[in-house]
Amino acid sequence: MRRTGWSAKRTVRGAALVACAAGAVFYPGRASAETIESALVKAYQNNPQLNAQRASVRSIDEQVPQALSGYRPRVSITGTGGEQFTDATAKTVGRAPVPGTNRTVPTVTYTGASALVTPWSYGATAQQTLFNGFQTANRTRAAESQVSSAREGLRILEQTVLLTAAATYMDVLRDTASLEVQRSNVRVLQETLKQTRDRFEVGEVTRTDVAQAEAQLAAGQSAMLAAESTLNTSRANYRQVIGVEPVNLSAGSPVDRFIPRTLPAATEQGLVENPNVTAAMYGIDVAFLQVKISEGALYPTLVAQAQVQQGSFIQNIATPQFWTASAIGTLTVPVYQGGQEFSLIRQSKETLAQQRLNLELVRSQTRQQVVQAWGQNEAAKAQVKAANSQVYSSEVALNGVREEARVGQRTTLDVLNAQQALVNARIALVNAQHDRVVASYSVLSASGRLSPQTLHLPTTLYDPTVHYQQVRDAWIGVRTPDGH
């Protein structure tokens, strides 16, 4: 009997070591092939959603040279040529004298001619807008603001992808540790069931104790299978977000060193640096300039045009060829165009008011997100401490209950309950460690600082200004800067 009790105690201690090792994946210092920083780098470089957004920003860059085209001349060359067949009949009406008399009679004479000629002409026209109510300047500034807004949209998605990648990384660690805890629990319960059956054979316990051990083992096996399913889901999410299979993941640690020290400082930083706020500000700029563009339709337009043309002029035999040149200025003053331009001005002003109200909404949402993330981070810190204390106390309690059961002061059900309490405590610790890391990244995201620069990730940063400078002043060319 004493040997059986000692074996159970040794099994419990071994299971505790395995579970602690599983939980230790959340703490720094363990050598591994993959770190949370390297996973974030892979997501930053390879995430298809992020790369698609970068392509979208490059597309919006082209709106600036499109707006600048209003400053540039428009030149066109025209040419005509072909064959022309002419068949003409002329009718001549006159009067002819009657021989031997003084009278005349009317006469009609018909003459015909046909010809096959090859007329041709070619020329060039150049047109330059000199004044259009400042619409070109305002369109250019609006396009530049749209580019800036698109870059802030890219920052929003970068933060979302990095936060999702960090959470997914920690999900795999959490679920791996949870599965190891459940497997360890099943091994302990299997050993407990074996020992309970041995004691039943010698009459120390009843059939009820055996049934209780069997039921607890079945519940443990069910929990282990559920943990396996959850881990498979987390691994699939990891593959989707980061782009590779999770292999040998090392510890993930909080990023508190990058977070402001106080909640007011974090809130102030979020209201200034959060990309949702800055994108809304650029939205106001675009709406304001759209008002100016609409008002430009009320101004006069001045256009200069030069034209040259040369060709053949078969109809005039005396002038078989001609050459012309002209330079014309056209001033157009709009008076009334059905009221459409006035409606567009009123509409754009309402859009501007909407964007200003939207900025206030975004600021309010940002403030709420910072406070919420900060509170979750502080709560996670306390939960980790409480969970550590819970695990330690549960281990002490389980060892005590087993010792008491060995001398007959506790039942098998008491031992099983104490074992389940320890498993629950370890799962709670794993979840608290996961939440602690993810919450710190959430605070950094809400304050607008979750970026490769802030995290000092070892990767080449994507700079959207490079493509912008390459295409901004491009006058011709259909190839993109990357050669496509």
Side-chain angles (χ1 to χ4, degrees), residues 161-208:
V161 169
L162 291 176
L163 180 59
T164 303
T168 304
Y169 185 96
M170 297 306 299
D171 287 348
V172 175
L173 287 179
R174 176 199 61 195
D175 297 337
T176 300
S178 298
L179 177 59
E180 191 58 39
V181 169
Q182 297 294 349
R183 285 175 176 171
S184 174
N185 181 49
V186 168
R187 289 192 293 267
V188 172
L189 292 175
Q190 288 174 340
E191 182 64 23
T192 300
L193 176 60
K194 179 178 180 301
Q195 294 172 4
T196 303
R197 286 173 175 170
D198 292 342
R199 297 177 66 189
F200 174 73
E201 293 295 333
V202 297
E204 291 187 2
V205 297
T206 66
R207 177 62 186 167
T208 301

Short mmCIF file of all heavy atoms in Angstrom, two decimals, residues 161-208:
data_model
loop_
_atom_site.label_atom_id
_atom_site.label_comp_id
_atom_site.label_asym_id
_atom_site.label_seq_id
_atom_site.Cartn_x
_atom_site.Cartn_y
_atom_site.Cartn_z
N VAL A 161 -2.55 44.18 -39.14
CA VAL A 161 -1.86 42.94 -39.48
C VAL A 161 -0.86 42.56 -38.39
O VAL A 161 -0.77 41.40 -37.98
CB VAL A 161 -1.17 43.07 -40.85
CG1 VAL A 161 -0.22 41.90 -41.09
CG2 VAL A 161 -2.21 43.14 -41.96
N LEU A 162 -0.10 43.55 -37.90
CA LEU A 162 0.89 43.25 -36.85
C LEU A 162 0.20 42.81 -35.56
O LEU A 162 0.67 41.87 -34.90
CB LEU A 162 1.76 44.48 -36.60
CG LEU A 162 2.72 44.87 -37.72
CD1 LEU A 162 3.45 46.16 -37.37
CD2 LEU A 162 3.72 43.74 -37.99
N LEU A 163 -0.90 43.46 -35.20
CA LEU A 163 -1.62 43.05 -33.99
C LEU A 163 -2.22 41.66 -34.16
O LEU A 163 -2.14 40.83 -33.24
CB LEU A 163 -2.72 44.07 -33.69
CG LEU A 163 -3.58 43.77 -32.45
CD1 LEU A 163 -2.72 43.69 -31.20
CD2 LEU A 163 -4.67 44.82 -32.30
N THR A 164 -2.79 41.40 -35.33
CA THR A 164 -3.34 40.07 -35.59
C THR A 164 -2.25 39.01 -35.59
O THR A 164 -2.44 37.90 -35.07
CB THR A 164 -4.07 40.05 -36.94
OG1 THR A 164 -5.09 41.06 -36.93
CG2 THR A 164 -4.71 38.71 -37.21
N ALA A 165 -1.09 39.34 -36.16
CA ALA A 165 0.02 38.39 -36.17
C ALA A 165 0.51 38.09 -34.76
O ALA A 165 0.78 36.93 -34.41
CB ALA A 165 1.16 38.94 -37.02
N ALA A 166 0.62 39.13 -33.92
CA ALA A 166 1.05 38.91 -32.53
C ALA A 166 0.04 38.06 -31.79
O ALA A 166 0.41 37.13 -31.04
CB ALA A 166 1.24 40.25 -31.83
N ALA A 167 -1.26 38.36 -31.97
CA ALA A 167 -2.29 37.58 -31.29
C ALA A 167 -2.30 36.13 -31.78
O ALA A 167 -2.45 35.19 -30.98
CB ALA A 167 -3.66 38.23 -31.52
N THR A 168 -2.13 35.95 -33.09
CA THR A 168 -2.11 34.59 -33.64
C THR A 168 -0.91 33.80 -33.14
O THR A 168 -1.02 32.61 -32.82
CB THR A 168 -2.09 34.66 -35.18
OG1 THR A 168 -3.22 35.42 -35.63
CG2 THR A 168 -2.15 33.27 -35.78
N TYR A 169 0.24 34.48 -33.07
CA TYR A 169 1.44 33.83 -32.52
C TYR A 169 1.19 33.37 -31.09
O TYR A 169 1.49 32.22 -30.72
CB TYR A 169 2.60 34.83 -32.57
CG TYR A 169 3.94 34.28 -32.16
CD1 TYR A 169 4.84 33.82 -33.10
CD2 TYR A 169 4.31 34.23 -30.82
CE1 TYR A 169 6.08 33.33 -32.73
CE2 TYR A 169 5.55 33.74 -30.44
CZ TYR A 169 6.43 33.30 -31.39
OH TYR A 169 7.65 32.80 -31.01
N MET A 170 0.61 34.25 -30.28
CA MET A 170 0.35 33.90 -28.89
C MET A 170 -0.76 32.85 -28.78
O MET A 170 -0.78 32.05 -27.84
CB MET A 170 -0.01 35.15 -28.09
CG MET A 170 1.10 36.18 -28.02
SD MET A 170 2.67 35.52 -27.41
CE MET A 170 2.20 34.96 -25.78
N ASP A 171 -1.70 32.85 -29.73
CA ASP A 171 -2.73 31.81 -29.72
C ASP A 171 -2.12 30.43 -29.86
O ASP A 171 -2.52 29.47 -29.17
CB ASP A 171 -3.72 32.05 -30.86
CG ASP A 171 -4.63 33.24 -30.61
OD1 ASP A 171 -4.66 33.74 -29.46
OD2 ASP A 171 -5.30 33.69 -31.57
N VAL A 172 -1.16 30.30 -30.77
CA VAL A 172 -0.52 28.99 -30.97
C VAL A 172 0.23 28.58 -29.71
O VAL A 172 0.17 27.41 -29.28
CB VAL A 172 0.42 29.03 -32.18
CG1 VAL A 172 1.19 27.73 -32.31
CG2 VAL A 172 -0.37 29.30 -33.46
N LEU A 173 0.96 29.53 -29.10
CA LEU A 173 1.66 29.21 -27.86
C LEU A 173 0.68 28.81 -26.76
O LEU A 173 0.90 27.82 -26.04
CB LEU A 173 2.48 30.42 -27.40
CG LEU A 173 3.74 30.75 -28.18
CD1 LEU A 173 4.40 31.99 -27.60
CD2 LEU A 173 4.72 29.59 -28.17
N ARG A 174 -0.38 29.57 -26.60
CA ARG A 174 -1.38 29.26 -25.57
C ARG A 174 -1.99 27.89 -25.80
O ARG A 174 -2.09 27.07 -24.86
CB ARG A 174 -2.46 30.33 -25.60
CG ARG A 174 -3.62 30.08 -24.63
CD ARG A 174 -4.83 30.90 -25.03
NE ARG A 174 -5.30 30.55 -26.37
CZ ARG A 174 -6.14 31.28 -27.08
NH1 ARG A 174 -6.59 32.43 -26.60
NH2 ARG A 174 -6.51 30.89 -28.29
N ASP A 175 -2.41 27.62 -27.02
CA ASP A 175 -3.10 26.36 -27.28
C ASP A 175 -2.14 25.17 -27.21
O ASP A 175 -2.55 24.06 -26.85
CB ASP A 175 -3.78 26.42 -28.64
CG ASP A 175 -4.86 27.50 -28.69
OD1 ASP A 175 -5.35 27.87 -27.61
OD2 ASP A 175 -5.18 27.98 -29.80
N THR A 176 -0.87 25.40 -27.58
CA THR A 176 0.12 24.33 -27.42
C THR A 176 0.32 23.99 -25.95
O THR A 176 0.36 22.81 -25.55
CB THR A 176 1.46 24.75 -28.05
OG1 THR A 176 1.27 25.03 -29.43
CG2 THR A 176 2.50 23.65 -27.90
N ALA A 177 0.44 25.04 -25.12
CA ALA A 177 0.61 24.81 -23.68
C ALA A 177 -0.64 24.17 -23.09
O ALA A 177 -0.54 23.27 -22.24
CB ALA A 177 0.92 26.13 -22.98
N SER A 178 -1.82 24.62 -23.51
CA SER A 178 -3.06 24.05 -22.99
C SER A 178 -3.17 22.56 -23.35
O SER A 178 -3.59 21.74 -22.53
CB SER A 178 -4.26 24.82 -23.53
OG SER A 178 -4.24 26.17 -23.11
N LEU A 179 -2.79 22.23 -24.56
CA LEU A 179 -2.83 20.83 -24.97
C LEU A 179 -1.87 19.99 -24.14
O LEU A 179 -2.20 18.86 -23.73
CB LEU A 179 -2.50 20.70 -26.46
CG LEU A 179 -2.44 19.28 -27.02
CD1 LEU A 179 -3.76 18.55 -26.82
CD2 LEU A 179 -2.05 19.30 -28.50
N GLU A 180 -0.68 20.52 -23.86
CA GLU A 180 0.29 19.78 -23.06
C GLU A 180 -0.23 19.58 -21.63
O GLU A 180 -0.04 18.53 -21.02
CB GLU A 180 1.62 20.51 -23.05
CG GLU A 180 2.77 19.70 -22.45
CD GLU A 180 2.98 18.38 -23.17
OE1 GLU A 180 2.86 18.34 -24.41
OE2 GLU A 180 3.25 17.38 -22.48
N VAL A 181 -0.91 20.60 -21.10
CA VAL A 181 -1.51 20.46 -19.77
C VAL A 181 -2.57 19.37 -19.78
O VAL A 181 -2.63 18.53 -18.86
CB VAL A 181 -2.11 21.81 -19.32
CG1 VAL A 181 -2.97 21.62 -18.06
CG2 VAL A 181 -1.01 22.81 -19.03
N GLN A 182 -3.40 19.35 -20.81
CA GLN A 182 -4.45 18.33 -20.88
C GLN A 182 -3.86 16.93 -21.07
O GLN A 182 -4.36 15.96 -20.49
CB GLN A 182 -5.42 18.66 -22.02
CG GLN A 182 -6.19 19.96 -21.85
CD GLN A 182 -7.14 19.93 -20.67
OE1 GLN A 182 -7.41 18.88 -20.07
NE2 GLN A 182 -7.66 21.10 -20.30
N ARG A 183 -2.82 16.82 -21.87
CA ARG A 183 -2.18 15.51 -22.04
C ARG A 183 -1.57 15.04 -20.73
O ARG A 183 -1.67 13.85 -20.37
CB ARG A 183 -1.11 15.61 -23.12
CG ARG A 183 -1.66 15.67 -24.54
CD ARG A 183 -0.55 15.90 -25.54
NE ARG A 183 -1.05 15.88 -26.92
CZ ARG A 183 -0.35 16.22 -27.99
NH1 ARG A 183 0.92 16.63 -27.83
NH2 ARG A 183 -0.87 16.15 -29.20
N SER A 184 -0.92 15.94 -20.04
CA SER A 184 -0.35 15.59 -18.74
C SER A 184 -1.44 15.16 -17.77
O SER A 184 -1.30 14.20 -17.01
CB SER A 184 0.42 16.78 -18.17
OG SER A 184 0.86 16.52 -16.86
N ASN A 185 -2.57 15.88 -17.81
CA ASN A 185 -3.69 15.52 -16.94
C ASN A 185 -4.21 14.13 -17.25
O ASN A 185 -4.52 13.35 -16.34
CB ASN A 185 -4.79 16.55 -17.10
CG ASN A 185 -5.98 16.28 -16.22
OD1 ASN A 185 -5.84 16.04 -15.02
ND2 ASN A 185 -7.18 16.29 -16.81
N VAL A 186 -4.30 13.79 -18.56
CA VAL A 186 -4.77 12.45 -18.94
C VAL A 186 -3.82 11.39 -18.43
O VAL A 186 -4.24 10.33 -17.93
CB VAL A 186 -4.95 12.37 -20.46
CG1 VAL A 186 -5.15 10.93 -20.91
CG2 VAL A 186 -6.12 13.24 -20.91
N ARG A 187 -2.52 11.63 -18.54
CA ARG A 187 -1.55 10.65 -18.04
C ARG A 187 -1.70 10.45 -16.53
O ARG A 187 -1.63 9.32 -16.03
CB ARG A 187 -0.13 11.10 -18.39
CG ARG A 187 0.21 11.00 -19.86
CD ARG A 187 1.70 11.17 -20.11
NE ARG A 187 2.15 12.52 -19.81
CZ ARG A 187 2.22 13.49 -20.70
NH1 ARG A 187 1.83 13.29 -21.95
NH2 ARG A 187 2.66 14.69 -20.35
N VAL A 188 -1.88 11.53 -15.81
CA VAL A 188 -2.08 11.42 -14.35
C VAL A 188 -3.36 10.66 -14.05
O VAL A 188 -3.40 9.79 -13.15
CB VAL A 188 -2.08 12.82 -13.71
CG1 VAL A 188 -2.49 12.73 -12.24
CG2 VAL A 188 -0.72 13.46 -13.83
N LEU A 189 -4.44 10.97 -14.77
CA LEU A 189 -5.71 10.31 -14.51
C LEU A 189 -5.65 8.83 -14.88
O LEU A 189 -6.30 8.00 -14.22
CB LEU A 189 -6.82 11.01 -15.31
CG LEU A 189 -7.16 12.44 -14.85
CD1 LEU A 189 -8.19 13.06 -15.79
CD2 LEU A 189 -7.69 12.45 -13.42
N GLN A 190 -4.90 8.50 -15.92
CA GLN A 190 -4.73 7.08 -16.26
C GLN A 190 -4.01 6.33 -15.14
O GLN A 190 -4.39 5.22 -14.77
CB GLN A 190 -3.96 6.96 -17.58
CG GLN A 190 -4.76 7.36 -18.80
CD GLN A 190 -3.93 7.38 -20.06
OE1 GLN A 190 -2.68 7.45 -20.01
NE2 GLN A 190 -4.57 7.32 -21.23
N GLU A 191 -2.99 6.96 -14.61
CA GLU A 191 -2.27 6.34 -13.50
C GLU A 191 -3.15 6.26 -12.26
O GLU A 191 -3.14 5.25 -11.53
CB GLU A 191 -1.00 7.13 -13.18
CG GLU A 191 -0.14 6.55 -12.08
CD GLU A 191 0.43 5.18 -12.44
OE1 GLU A 191 0.54 4.87 -13.65
OE2 GLU A 191 0.77 4.43 -11.52
N THR A 192 -3.96 7.30 -12.03
CA THR A 192 -4.87 7.29 -10.88
C THR A 192 -5.91 6.18 -11.03
O THR A 192 -6.23 5.47 -10.05
CB THR A 192 -5.57 8.65 -10.76
OG1 THR A 192 -4.59 9.67 -10.59
CG2 THR A 192 -6.53 8.67 -9.57
N LEU A 193 -6.45 6.01 -12.23
CA LEU A 193 -7.42 4.94 -12.45
C LEU A 193 -6.79 3.58 -12.23
O LEU A 193 -7.40 2.69 -11.62
CB LEU A 193 -7.99 5.05 -13.87
CG LEU A 193 -8.97 3.95 -14.29
CD1 LEU A 193 -10.18 3.91 -13.35
CD2 LEU A 193 -9.42 4.13 -15.74
N LYS A 194 -5.57 3.39 -12.70
CA LYS A 194 -4.89 2.11 -12.52
C LYS A 194 -4.71 1.81 -11.03
O LYS A 194 -4.97 0.69 -10.56
CB LYS A 194 -3.54 2.14 -13.23
CG LYS A 194 -2.71 0.87 -13.08
CD LYS A 194 -1.42 0.99 -13.85
CE LYS A 194 -0.60 -0.29 -13.69
NZ LYS A 194 -0.27 -0.57 -12.28
N GLN A 195 -4.27 2.80 -10.27
CA GLN A 195 -4.06 2.60 -8.84
C GLN A 195 -5.38 2.37 -8.11
O GLN A 195 -5.46 1.57 -7.16
CB GLN A 195 -3.32 3.80 -8.26
CG GLN A 195 -1.90 3.95 -8.79
CD GLN A 195 -1.25 5.25 -8.36
OE1 GLN A 195 -1.85 6.01 -7.60
NE2 GLN A 195 -0.05 5.50 -8.83
N THR A 196 -6.44 3.09 -8.56
CA THR A 196 -7.75 2.89 -7.92
C THR A 196 -8.27 1.48 -8.17
O THR A 196 -8.85 0.85 -7.27
CB THR A 196 -8.75 3.93 -8.46
OG1 THR A 196 -8.23 5.24 -8.23
CG2 THR A 196 -10.09 3.81 -7.76
N ARG A 197 -8.07 0.98 -9.36
CA ARG A 197 -8.48 -0.40 -9.64
C ARG A 197 -7.68 -1.40 -8.81
O ARG A 197 -8.23 -2.41 -8.32
CB ARG A 197 -8.32 -0.70 -11.13
CG ARG A 197 -9.40 -0.04 -12.00
CD ARG A 197 -9.09 -0.22 -13.46
NE ARG A 197 -10.18 0.32 -14.30
CZ ARG A 197 -10.11 0.46 -15.62
NH1 ARG A 197 -8.98 0.13 -16.26
NH2 ARG A 197 -11.14 0.94 -16.28
N ASP A 198 -6.38 -1.15 -8.66
CA ASP A 198 -5.56 -2.03 -7.82
C ASP A 198 -6.07 -2.03 -6.38
O ASP A 198 -6.17 -3.10 -5.73
CB ASP A 198 -4.10 -1.59 -7.87
CG ASP A 198 -3.47 -1.82 -9.24
OD1 ASP A 198 -4.04 -2.61 -10.02
OD2 ASP A 198 -2.43 -1.19 -9.54
N ARG A 199 -6.42 -0.87 -5.87
CA ARG A 199 -6.92 -0.77 -4.49
C ARG A 199 -8.32 -1.41 -4.39
O ARG A 199 -8.66 -1.98 -3.34
CB ARG A 199 -6.98 0.68 -4.07
CG ARG A 199 -5.60 1.37 -4.04
CD ARG A 199 -5.72 2.82 -3.68
NE ARG A 199 -6.20 3.00 -2.32
CZ ARG A 199 -6.55 4.18 -1.80
NH1 ARG A 199 -6.47 5.28 -2.57
NH2 ARG A 199 -6.99 4.26 -0.56
N PHE A 200 -9.10 -1.33 -5.48
CA PHE A 200 -10.40 -1.99 -5.47
C PHE A 200 -10.24 -3.50 -5.40
O PHE A 200 -11.03 -4.19 -4.73
CB PHE A 200 -11.18 -1.58 -6.72
CG PHE A 200 -12.49 -2.32 -6.89
CD1 PHE A 200 -13.57 -2.02 -6.07
CD2 PHE A 200 -12.63 -3.31 -7.85
CE1 PHE A 200 -14.78 -2.72 -6.22
CE2 PHE A 200 -13.82 -3.99 -8.00
CZ PHE A 200 -14.91 -3.69 -7.20
N GLU A 201 -9.22 -4.02 -6.07
CA GLU A 201 -8.99 -5.46 -6.07
C GLU A 201 -8.67 -5.97 -4.67
O GLU A 201 -9.01 -7.11 -4.32
CB GLU A 201 -7.84 -5.81 -7.02
CG GLU A 201 -8.14 -5.57 -8.49
CD GLU A 201 -9.26 -6.47 -9.00
OE1 GLU A 201 -9.44 -7.59 -8.43
OE2 GLU A 201 -9.97 -6.07 -9.94
N VAL A 202 -8.03 -5.16 -3.86
CA VAL A 202 -7.66 -5.61 -2.51
C VAL A 202 -8.67 -5.12 -1.48
O VAL A 202 -8.45 -5.27 -0.26
CB VAL A 202 -6.26 -5.12 -2.14
CG1 VAL A 202 -5.23 -5.72 -3.08
CG2 VAL A 202 -6.18 -3.60 -2.15
N GLY A 203 -9.76 -4.44 -1.94
CA GLY A 203 -10.81 -4.07 -1.03
C GLY A 203 -10.63 -2.76 -0.29
O GLY A 203 -11.39 -2.50 0.65
N GLU A 204 -9.69 -1.93 -0.72
CA GLU A 204 -9.48 -0.65 -0.03
C GLU A 204 -10.49 0.40 -0.45
O GLU A 204 -10.78 1.33 0.32
CB GLU A 204 -8.06 -0.13 -0.30
CG GLU A 204 -6.98 -0.94 0.37
CD GLU A 204 -5.62 -0.28 0.21
OE1 GLU A 204 -5.57 0.82 -0.39
OE2 GLU A 204 -4.63 -0.86 0.68
N VAL A 205 -11.01 0.34 -1.67
CA VAL A 205 -12.00 1.30 -2.16
C VAL A 205 -13.16 0.54 -2.77
O VAL A 205 -13.09 -0.68 -2.98
CB VAL A 205 -11.38 2.24 -3.21
CG1 VAL A 205 -10.29 3.09 -2.59
CG2 VAL A 205 -10.85 1.46 -4.40
N THR A 206 -14.20 1.26 -3.06
CA THR A 206 -15.41 0.64 -3.62
C THR A 206 -15.46 0.84 -5.13
O THR A 206 -14.64 1.54 -5.73
CB THR A 206 -16.66 1.27 -2.98
OG1 THR A 206 -16.74 2.64 -3.37
CG2 THR A 206 -16.60 1.16 -1.45
N ARG A 207 -16.49 0.21 -5.70
CA ARG A 207 -16.71 0.35 -7.13
C ARG A 207 -17.01 1.81 -7.50
O ARG A 207 -16.69 2.27 -8.59
CB ARG A 207 -17.87 -0.55 -7.55
CG ARG A 207 -18.24 -0.45 -9.02
CD ARG A 207 -17.10 -0.87 -9.92
NE ARG A 207 -17.41 -0.65 -11.32
CZ ARG A 207 -16.54 -0.69 -12.30
NH1 ARG A 207 -15.27 -0.95 -12.02
NH2 ARG A 207 -16.89 -0.51 -13.54
N THR A 208 -17.60 2.54 -6.57
CA THR A 208 -17.89 3.97 -6.82
C THR A 208 -16.61 4.76 -7.08
O THR A 208 -16.56 5.62 -7.98
CB THR A 208 -18.63 4.56 -5.61
OG1 THR A 208 -19.84 3.83 -5.40
CG2 THR A 208 -18.95 6.03 -5.86
#
